[in-house]
Amino acid sequence: MARLFGDVPGVQNGDLFPSRAAASQAGVHRPTMAGISGGQAEGADSIVVSGGYEDDRDFGDEIIYTGHGGNDPASGRQVADQRLEAGNLALAVSADRGLPVRVLRGAGGDPQYSPPSGFRYDGLFYVDRYWSDVGKSGYRIWRYRLARSPRQNDVTNPPPGRSGQQRYATTQRLVRNTAVTQWVKELHEYRCQVCGRRLETPSGAYAEGAHLRPVGRPHNGPDSPENVLCLCPNDHVRLDRGVIGVDSAQRVIELGTGRPLGKLRTMPRHQVADAHAAYHRALFL
Ligand SMILES: [Zn+2]
């Protein structure tokens, strides 16, 4: 059966299921054991949040989710490193493609947001960021920030040539604009600090303000000029996905190899704090 992205027809937000088997039967989360349903070519269509991983954090409309693998199911503790493969890679693909992820919460999760018993379908979330980290038990884990869909009803459009069986709902990458990012962009006259390009559109120049240390949970980076770069959309995605970073000598580097790619374009009035650049680099070790 084709993987279905988005809401399952006939299932409403808040619907309760007595067991994983019942939720699987309803098509909300097909696997009966795995926490992530997905393929690394297609993306992840659903996850279960039920307290099985010690590094998970639930804030209701926002979830910091731990990838799978290296976990002792009896204790919930990590006993080995995780890798960006299988379901973990599927969630990363969902982030890149803006695919909706169904969230099923189980009674074992954070008591404030979890059902008292069984499992509850809690609607659609989007993966807006992923990174690696060292978890509580000292092993490398992959972490994902999921945020609830801002829309009540996601528009689902089957791609041309496909039946309605396989549904998609996509969202654009959220680009935060604040007084600080605006100031940085204007100072650089919308020229990318990495590649030097200035993107012209019919309505003027376009650039994005990129935070090195991400704002929002759990990173809580500051929205201040020393944490913001003026970037073109391509280099913004490269930075957010850990393809490039900034080293302590203010050079742009390829994060995987450490190879310098060139000097970061800075200005006397706009310098980047190395602490924030180092924080960003550590997200993709
Ligand atoms: Zn650029």
Side-chain angles (χ1 to χ4, degrees):
M1 180 183 283
R3 195 177 295 285
L4 184 140
F5 290 90
D7 281 319
V8 175
V11 177
Q12 308 290 322
N13 280 15
D15 280 1
L16 295 166
F17 301 92
S19 63
R20 286 281 299 265
S24 171
Q25 194 76 36
V28 173
H29 184 79
R30 292 274 177 201
T32 51
M33 292 293 288
I36 303 170
S37 169
Q40 56 188 49
E42 307 157 280
D45 56 309
S46 60
I47 61 167
V48 179
V49 183
S50 60
Y53 283 80
E54 61 189 351
D55 296 298
D56 280 0
R57 293 287 171 276
D58 200 338
F59 301 101
D61 290 342
E62 198 181 334
I63 298 167
I64 310 300
Y65 192 70
T66 312
H68 63 188
N71 178 261
D72 173 19
S75 66
R77 289 171 62 85
Q78 287 301 122
V79 293
D81 286 340
Q82 293 184 345
R83 299 166 65 95
L84 191 61
E85 59 187 18
N88 297 348
L89 185 53
L91 273 176
V93 169
S94 290
D96 290 343
R97 297 192 192 158
L99 292 167
V101 179
R102 290 184 299 278
V103 168
L104 187 69
R105 280 194 175 94
D110 188 315
Q112 199 178 342
Y113 302 109
S114 304
S117 66
F119 294 86
R120 186 182 64 218
Y121 175 54
D122 279 347
L124 301 178
F125 283 64
Y126 288 92
V127 187
D128 73 359
R129 181 176 284 282
Y130 58 90
W131 66 98
S132 73
D133 203 350
V134 175
K136 279 185 178 171
S137 299
Y139 291 98
R140 180 134 317 261
I141 56 172
W142 283 90
R143 308 186 83 180
Y144 304 83
R145 180 183 178 275
L146 289 98
R148 182 182 292 286
S149 167
R151 287 168 295 185
Q152 270 300 335
N153 298 299
D154 283 66
V155 181
T156 58
N157 300 309
R162 295 223 194 212
S163 73
Q165 264 296 18
Q166 190 174 18
R167 298 191 308 160
Y168 292 84
T170 58
T171 183
Q172 278 200 307
R173 210 161 45 87
L174 181 68
V175 177
R176 297 166 197 270
N177 204 23
T178 65
V180 170
T181 60
Q182 192 59 34
W183 181 83
V184 171
K185 290 193 293 186
E186 285 176 8
L187 185 68
H188 289 273
E189 296 176 325
Y190 297 84
R191 200 169 290 286
C192 176
Q193 286 184 256
V194 169
C195 68
R197 288 187 69 177
R198 188 171 186 268
L199 183 59
E200 302 287 350
T201 79
S203 55
Y206 179 87
E208 297 180 354
H211 293 88
L212 279 161
R213 178 173 177 154
V215 294
R217 294 186 185 108
H219 311 291
N220 300 316
D223 185 31
S224 57
E226 66 274 13
N227 189 35
V228 170
L229 295 174
C230 171
L231 298 181
C232 71
N234 280 1
D235 284 319
H236 191 180
V237 172
R238 288 189 187 106
L239 185 87
D240 279 359
R241 293 293 186 257
V243 179
I244 57 172
V246 175
D247 73 4
S248 56
Q250 305 267 298
R251 289 177 305 185
V252 180
I253 56 168
E254 196 175 67
L255 275 185
T257 61
R259 186 167 66 94
L261 300 174
K263 190 139 179 54
L264 184 72
R265 293 159 174 265
T266 55
M267 297 216 170
R269 283 199 293 154
H270 179 230
Q271 300 290 325
V272 168
D274 186 49
H276 300 318
Y279 188 98
H280 171 265
R281 294 196 302 271
L283 294 177
F284 303 100
L285 286 178

